[in-house]
Amino acid sequence: MSSKDVILDRIRAALGAGAETPEIPRDYRRGPAQVDLDLLVERLVDYKAVVHRLTAEKPDTGEPVAGGGVEGSGPQAGVGGARPLDDLDHLAEGRANAQVGVEAAAVRAAIAGILGAGTVVVPPGLPLEWLPDGVHGLVDDGLSAERIAAADGVVTAAAVAVVETGTIVLDASPDQGRRIISLLPDLHICVLRADQVVASVPEAVARLDPTRPLTWISGPSATSDIELNRVEGVHGPRNLHVILAGQ
Amino acid sequence: MSTFLGMPVHAPRGVGHLRGDESFPDAARTALGDSQLRRNLQHATTTIRGKSGRVIAELPDWQELRSAGSALKSYTMAHLPELLEQLEEKVTAAGGVVHWAADANEADRIVTDLVRAAGEQRVIKVKSMATQEIGLNEALEAAGITPVETDLAELIVQLGNDKPSHILVPAIHRNRSEIREIFLRAMPGVDPKLTDDPPVLAGAARRYLRETFLSTKVAVSGANFAIADTGTLAVVESEGNGRMCLTLPETLITVMGIEKLVPTWQDLEVFLQLLPRASTGERMNPYTSMWTGVTPGDGPQNFHLVLLDNGRTAVLADEVGRQALHCIRCSACLNVCPVYERTGGHAYGSVYPGPIGAILSPQLTGVADNASLPYASSLCGACFDACPVKIDIPSILVHLRNQAPHPRTEAAVMAAAAYTMDHPRLYRSAQRAAKLSRIAGRRGRGLPPPLNGWSASRDLPAPPKETFRDWWRNR
Ligand code: SF4
């Protein structure tokens, strides 16, 4: 008798005539709800990410929104105002092309403001015109861990972001790359489009494909293991910059 | 024979860490004499309670999420055989290999054989209660394999030849100068000028482990959730050591209790909201990794999932006690427990301390082997209110006490409890919290943090009318 059969038999014996199967009450908020980008910025900053907002009129000049510089004056997490379905369809199409809605010149300016010069790892699907002069892009075509770790930073796109928790999710698409590249460098620059942002965790889960490797990132790595002092950065990137494009 | 094999059994003796060397009252007496320990614990639990209360108060649907989480776990237990087989099928289809371990010995053997087969003498580990429960590190060491704990707190515990004392912050009993001494003594290549500044200590761990991460070919992890309908595994963490272990090695071995299942991908939307807010008091923890089998060209190319029973089916067989299997290991019940705050985690003897340990350990081992633990509580009810999946810990404690009337031990425990409960500020405030939250009604609206997020939608066991000391004197 295999251990699998032993365990399954034990479970059936333990359950006996059968345990009750409850209805799952799903009366928590499941969205879709209004996306509040100001609140996203606030939440990202609260967890020590540095945010650079690009607007169509005025490209970011490298002045970051950071370190508590944002007041919590915006509206609270949206719970009303359902988004029309055709809008969501439009977003699904937009995802197919990472460059839609992202002004390369503005991204270049923001990255130049973060990192004057140096080498950054980039996933194979990332538009190289996002990189400013002086910043060399090392395209990941199966780079060794040592070369990735030696780079000054990494630039990726994102899959989804969650306003309520200040979370960015990477799903290893070509513009985000292998999980290792956003892990070893000490600086992670993540370019996020406004249409990738959702209000809540349930909406993010609904958009993601679980068969892809997913990394949910909420601020730089941190620990509270020493007397509960929060210390940024033990093993992951100690600096997380988010470039937010669109509105 | 097969009938015998197929009956639920408790976790075996002689392996793993579910039984203490001494009974709770004896161990508690030692801990109660350590004033530094009590200061460290009180500071830590007070901090976490405050943080958690604030972020829970941000969610208007916390109670609805708790109800959904509780129902999902009940559903999972009722359908465990089908869901486990579905998980196995999905993981296998995605290129992983699933192993079934009836107890700690079998799990230790499976993991050891897998590491040997990979030809490796060292593994990196990310904090996992299940591997502590089964004593995996000892088993690996006996086979000549070096396990390296990579979680900062676990590293402190391992380098200090110590035992974890909290689910979430295992080195909660150590302060910074003790940590500095441990690093200076036991961390190879450490800078002798190391100070006790926390960022400096964290930096030392980063440097020490970097090379190990880059050069070790096998990792062992636990899992917070496994999704039956997709075969996806999830690990929730802070430091990035989890990402290192789950991404860099060639082979990943994940050891997971059979109760960690979640039926569908969608269900994760509930637990990803409950866990971080209840455990670290964050809206979301810094990193959560999810993977399904093997992804060609990205991450470990060999993935093994070990499904562990080790007494869980015996817990499942108890209609009242089986709720203990709903636990998502957030540690909220520890952080609100007046007994835990006074005695610390070591007194519980098992890797599972605090209120959840008091109901889980005796059920995993059989009550006879942990007879004093069901008495390691004042039944104040704070744990039930704090639990994000609404496990009725006080009722299970009472249920287990009825199974194991233990007059001599009970007397000793009560003596310890009387001492513990003698006027500690927290005990009174916890009881007050319990009463207040009952008055405040379902959502606890209008109360200051951390009380506002906690429910009180049920009857608490009545708080004692007289103090423990009075009771003890008068009996
Ligand atoms: S019993 Fe509940 S509160 Fe305690 S650790 Fe488990 S889930 Fe958290």
Side-chain angles (χ1 to χ4, degrees):
Chain A
M1 196 175 184
S2 72
S3 289
K4 174 181 173 178
D5 294 334
V6 170
I7 293 171
L8 291 176
D9 273 9
R10 286 177 180 175
I11 295 170
R12 291 191 186 103
L15 291 173
E20 56 161 328
T21 301
E23 280 290 309
I24 314 295
R26 303 250 184 215
D27 43 4
Y28 51 89
R29 294 167 306 143
R30 304 200 58 227
Q34 189 80 43
V35 169
D36 178 349
L37 290 181
D38 293 335
L39 186 61
L40 173 69
V41 172
E42 188 185 313
R43 296 274 150 102
L44 284 164
V45 168
D46 195 27
Y47 282 171
K48 306 289 187 289
V50 183
V51 182
H52 309 256
R53 272 188 93 163
L54 312 184
T55 57
E57 311 82 58
K58 179 184 150 296
D60 185 275
T61 51
E63 283 295 310
V65 182
V70 175
E71 290 302 320
S73 55
Q76 289 308 300
V79 285
R83 211 202 303 228
L85 269 179
D86 57 352
D87 195 13
L88 291 175
D89 287 341
H90 163 74
L91 296 184
E93 279 169 36
R95 272 206 298 284
N97 185 346
Q99 298 164 52
V100 168
V102 179
E103 189 63 51
V107 176
R108 270 202 301 277
I111 294 179
I114 298 164
L115 184 73
T119 299
V120 291
V121 179
V122 295
L126 192 97
L128 282 173
E129 62 268 27
W130 284 3
L131 300 184
D133 294 343
V135 173
H136 173 61
L138 191 60
V139 178
D140 176 36
D141 51 5
L143 294 171
S144 70
E146 287 73 17
R147 287 194 73 192
I148 295 168
D152 298 305
V154 55
V155 181
T156 71
V160 171
V162 186
V163 169
E164 199 161 276
T165 58
T167 303
I168 289 165
V169 189
L170 307 187
D171 74 355
S173 289
D175 58 3
Q176 295 150 62
R178 297 189 293 156
R179 286 170 284 173
I180 186 175
I181 67 169
S182 57
L183 177 59
L184 294 180
D186 212 6
L187 164 69
H188 179 192
I189 301 172
C190 184
V191 182
L192 176 69
R193 298 196 318 268
D195 63 15
Q196 295 174 314
V197 181
V198 297
S200 67
V201 170
E203 292 166 79
V205 168
R207 277 203 189 186
L208 290 163
D209 174 359
T211 64
R212 308 190 64 85
L214 301 175
T215 306
W216 296 54
I217 298 171
S218 309
S221 100
T223 182
S224 302
D225 281 350
I226 304 169
E227 296 178 12
L228 280 148
N229 272 305
R230 187 178 157 113
V231 180
E232 260 67 50
V234 188
H235 301 296
R238 286 183 280 198
N239 305 284
L240 173 64
H241 286 252
V242 178
I243 298 176
L244 176 55
Q247 45 205 301
Chain B
M1 184 64 187
S2 66
T3 317
F4 173 69
L5 273 174
M7 293 307 284
V9 293
H10 294 120
R13 293 181 181 152
V15 58
H17 301 285
L18 287 171
R19 297 165 176 87
D21 302 331
E22 40 183 8
S23 72
F24 181 81
D26 291 339
R29 204 167 291 119
T30 315
L32 287 167
D34 185 343
S35 58
Q36 179 66 50
L37 173 76
R38 274 212 310 284
R39 270 197 303 277
N40 292 353
L41 284 171
Q42 201 197 351
H43 170 65
T45 53
T46 307
T47 307
I48 292 190
R49 282 198 304 272
K51 280 168 70 183
S52 180
R54 280 189 293 276
V55 293
I56 286 172
E58 288 179 2
L59 290 189
D61 53 353
W62 181 250
Q63 298 309 334
E64 286 78 5
L65 287 166
R66 288 178 83 210
S67 299
S70 171
L72 280 167
K73 281 296 185 180
S74 296
Y75 179 95
T76 302
M77 296 310 143
H79 295 274
L80 204 48
E82 308 93 273
L83 292 173
L84 283 168
E85 289 196 280
Q86 190 183 19
L87 178 75
E88 178 183 43
E89 183 196 317
K90 294 291 177 179
V91 170
T92 307
V97 182
V98 176
H99 308 259
W100 301 70
D103 60 25
N105 289 311
E106 189 173 14
D108 286 341
R109 196 164 57 239
I110 290 169
V111 177
T112 307
D113 287 349
L114 287 170
V115 180
R116 280 208 183 109
E120 293 300 308
Q121 244 110 63
R122 185 175 65 188
V123 300
I124 44 178
K125 285 188 68 202
V126 52
K127 188 167 113 58
S128 129
M129 302 302 297
T131 62
Q132 284 170 30
E133 173 191 323
I134 62 176
L136 180 63
N137 285 3
E138 290 83 347
L140 290 171
E141 278 161 4
I145 298 159
T146 308
V148 181
E149 295 289 354
T150 64
D151 192 78
L152 180 54
E154 293 287 340
L155 183 70
I156 295 165
V157 167
Q158 192 179 41
L159 291 176
N161 274 323
D162 205 347
K163 282 183 180 170
S165 66
H166 187 274
I167 296 178
L168 189 69
V169 197
I172 201 167
H173 56 293
R174 295 291 196 184
N175 66 29
R176 64 180 75 185
S177 66
E178 292 169 308
I179 295 169
R180 171 176 174 268
E181 279 161 31
I182 290 168
F183 280 12
L184 283 176
R185 192 171 62 239
M187 183 183 276
V190 74
D191 181 353
K193 297 196 293 291
L194 188 76
T195 70
D196 66 0
D197 189 25
V200 171
L201 294 170
R206 180 183 171 98
R207 268 189 305 283
Y208 169 64
L209 285 176
R210 210 13 110 100
E211 173 54 32
T212 307
F213 282 132
L214 292 176
S215 60
T216 307
K217 296 194 169 62
V218 180
V220 176
S221 84
N224 292 93
F225 305 105
I227 297 138
D229 79 336
T230 61
T232 306
L233 278 290
V235 165
V236 172
E237 55 136 352
S238 296
E239 297 170 14
N241 59 312
R243 291 178 69 190
M244 294 277 180
C245 292
L246 301 170
T247 309
L248 297 182
E250 292 169 4
T251 300
L252 171 63
I253 305 166
T254 299
V255 181
M256 186 191 97
I258 52 174
E259 81 283 19
K260 292 280 163 205
L261 270 183
V262 170
T264 71
W265 169 246
Q266 187 205 330
D267 300 332
L268 215 50
E269 71 189 21
V270 174
F271 296 103
L272 285 180
Q273 296 192 75
L274 290 174
L275 181 56
R277 290 179 200 256
S279 64
T280 48
E282 293 167 298
R283 298 184 189 102
M284 194 62 91
N285 50 290
Y287 298 131
T288 297
S289 296
M290 299 174 192
W291 73 99
T292 304
V294 169
T295 306
D298 185 352
Q301 296 300 294
N302 307 297
F303 171 54
H304 296 271
L305 176 63
V306 181
L307 298 173
L308 177 71
D309 178 353
N310 204 40
R312 284 163 177 75
T313 47
V315 184
L316 191 64
D318 185 323
E319 279 178 37
V320 176
R322 65 168 60 129
Q323 268 186 76
L325 296 177
H326 297 187
C327 174
I328 56 174
R329 309 278 187 265
C330 73
S331 76
C333 58
L334 280 64
N335 300 333
V336 299
C337 178
V339 175
Y340 176 85
E341 184 176 293
R342 303 286 285 183
T343 63
H346 291 157
Y348 294 80
S350 154
V351 293
Y352 302 112
I356 179 60
I359 58 168
L360 187 58
S361 308
Q363 295 198 84
L364 289 171
T365 61
V367 179
D369 283 11
N370 268 308
S372 58
L373 284 186
Y375 296 90
S377 164
S378 64
L379 299 181
C380 76
C383 48
F384 186 9
D385 277 348
C387 179
V389 289
K390 299 212 275 195
I391 299 172
D392 185 354
I393 296 174
S395 294
I396 302 176
L397 285 166
V398 171
H399 171 70
L400 294 175
R401 287 180 189 186
N402 289 336
Q403 279 180 23
H406 218 258
R408 203 180 54 81
T409 314
E410 180 185 359
V413 171
M414 285 306 181
Y419 179 64
T420 307
M421 299 308 162
D422 191 22
H423 301 114
R425 200 164 41 79
L426 178 81
Y427 178 64
R428 274 182 279 123
S429 66
Q431 291 200 322
R432 241 192 338 264
K435 280 189 211 139
L436 274 176
S437 57
R438 248 182 310 179
I439 295 161
R442 216 162 135 261
R443 283 195 183 162
R445 287 290 186 169
L447 287 174
L451 306 179
N452 45 3
W454 293 342
S455 101
S457 52
R458 82 262 140 34
D459 290 328
L460 289 166
K465 289 196 189 68
E466 50 186 357
T467 67
F468 269 80
R469 193 169 63 169
D470 294 342
W471 175 82
W472 184 249
R473 283 211 183 114
N474 296 339
R475 67 193 277 277

